[in-house]
């Protein structure tokens, strides 16, 4: 979805001294409309290709058979069946963070908002674990959500990438080369426009705690604060 995964994940990774694992779970509603090109690409990745890429223990491997299936919890806690997907986000996040374990899973089903009787939404669940800059364990889980489904997220990313490439955003045009979308997107500008089009970042706290809609900066601050509180508690 052109930056909707990698830009938030990399912003959150700034809270870490070392990133050990990144797990992405994207939930697209089964009633969400796909364009012809997206339909063809999804069919190619899920039906034509016999294996999906994953980074495990610092090496890229192929997930096949039962290893290519998984489950993750949606925003409302519902467990969703999913399958592995080979996305450029997996490669980009692996290279940008140095994380030895990175995986991307996709589920197509009923989104959390539709289970509440509301219109469909697109959900990207991001989990990152590792250590802080003092070497203490650190983990976070949050969601990138848009009530209009996946098309507004894709459209936003495409528009901003084109602005960067052509210089329409006020900066010099991007030099020729091969880029991941996140390399062409300014995080601050992305989050501001993401909010303008109705997107939200949800801090997925521990089970039983109320989830909160927050800014990306708050996600980073919250995880640092929780880690500091846990360290104080353990030192007593």
């Amino acid at each position: 979805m052109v930056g909707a995964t990698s830009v938030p994940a990399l912003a959150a990774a700034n809270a870490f001294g070392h990133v050990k694992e990144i797990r992405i779970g994207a939930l697209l509603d089964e009633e969400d409309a796909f364009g012809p090109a997206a339909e063809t690409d999804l069919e190619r990745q899920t039906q034509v290709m016999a294996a999906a890429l994953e980074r495990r223990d610092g090496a890229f491997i192929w997930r096949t058979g039962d290893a290519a299936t998984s489950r993750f919890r949606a925003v409302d806690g519902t467990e969703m069946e999913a399958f592995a997907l080979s996305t450029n986000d997996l490669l980009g996040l692996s290279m940008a963070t140095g994380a030895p374990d990175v995986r991307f899973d996709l589920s197509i089903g009923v989104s959390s908002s539709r289970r509440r009787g509301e219109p469909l939404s697109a959900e990207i669940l991001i989990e990152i674990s590792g250590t802080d800059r003092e070497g203490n364990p650190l983990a976070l889980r949050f969601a990138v959500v848009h009530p209009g489904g996946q098309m507004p997220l894709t459209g936003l990313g495409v528009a901003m990438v084109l602005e960067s490439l052509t210089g329409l955003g006020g900066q010099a045009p991007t030099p020729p080369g091969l880029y991941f979308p996140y390399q062409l997107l300014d995080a601050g500008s992305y989050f501001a426009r993401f909010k303008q089009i109705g997107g939200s970042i949800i801090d997925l706290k521990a089970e039983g705690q109320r989830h909160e809609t927050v800014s990306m900066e708050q996600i980073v601050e919250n995880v640092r604060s929780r880690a500091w509180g846990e360290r104080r508690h353990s030192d007593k």
Side-chain angles (χ1 to χ4, degrees):
M1 286 174 267
V2 197
T5 297
S6 54
V7 173
L10 288 173
N14 287 329
F16 291 75
H18 170 69
V19 177
K20 170 64 174 65
E21 182 179 30
I22 301 175
R23 296 173 66 99
I24 309 294
L27 170 56
L28 303 183
D29 197 285
E30 61 194 12
E31 295 187 357
D32 200 349
F34 290 82
E39 290 274 12
T40 300
D41 187 52
L42 186 61
E43 180 181 0
R44 175 183 60 82
Q45 293 200 59
T46 60
Q47 299 180 33
V48 177
M49 295 178 64
L53 197 64
E54 177 182 348
R55 185 167 173 84
R56 186 185 302 168
D57 296 328
F60 289 104
I61 65 167
W62 292 106
R63 294 167 61 182
T64 59
D66 290 343
T69 63
S70 65
R71 305 175 76 89
F72 66 81
R73 293 192 180 278
V75 168
D76 66 357
T78 301
E79 194 171 68
M80 307 296 299
E81 294 185 358
F83 49 87
L85 204 64
S86 301
T87 68
N88 60 39
D89 296 303
L90 189 151
L91 293 171
L93 291 173
S94 297
M95 297 300 97
T97 66
D101 297 298
V102 184
R103 62 186 292 165
F104 191 112
D105 294 299
L106 173 67
S107 177
I108 298 178
V110 181
S111 56
S112 299
S113 59
R114 198 152 67 86
R115 272 190 289 272
R116 296 193 300 268
E118 302 171 5
L120 64 84
S121 60
E123 306 174 21
I124 304 173
L125 293 300
I126 300 176
E127 298 181 47
I128 306 177
S129 61
T131 57
D132 64 16
R133 302 188 190 285
E134 286 74 45
N136 302 295
L138 194 61
L140 61 79
R141 182 173 182 262
F142 66 98
V144 178
V145 178
H146 197 285
Q150 51 85 24
M151 282 191 176
L153 294 175
T154 301
L156 172 64
V158 169
M160 293 190 69
V161 164
L162 289 175
E163 286 180 352
S164 176
L165 291 172
T166 59
L168 291 176
Q171 77 289 353
T174 303
L178 184 63
Y179 298 90
F180 289 108
Y182 77 84
Q183 294 174 304
L184 302 172
L185 299 172
D186 174 74
S189 298
Y190 181 87
F191 290 125
R193 291 172 67 172
F194 170 76
K195 184 177 180 180
Q196 288 175 359
I197 67 167
S200 59
I201 305 291
I202 301 176
D203 186 1
L204 299 175
K205 297 183 178 180
E207 189 172 351
Q209 295 184 4
R210 185 172 64 87
H211 300 333
E212 295 179 327
T213 299
V214 298
S215 68
M216 200 63 238
E217 292 80 5
Q218 285 175 289
I219 286 285
V220 174
E221 183 58 33
N222 287 351
V223 71
R224 285 174 172 165
S225 297
R226 288 199 290 266
W228 183 75
E230 290 171 0
R231 288 199 301 272
R232 285 193 63 191
H233 180 74
S234 62
D235 289 341
K236 289 182 179 179

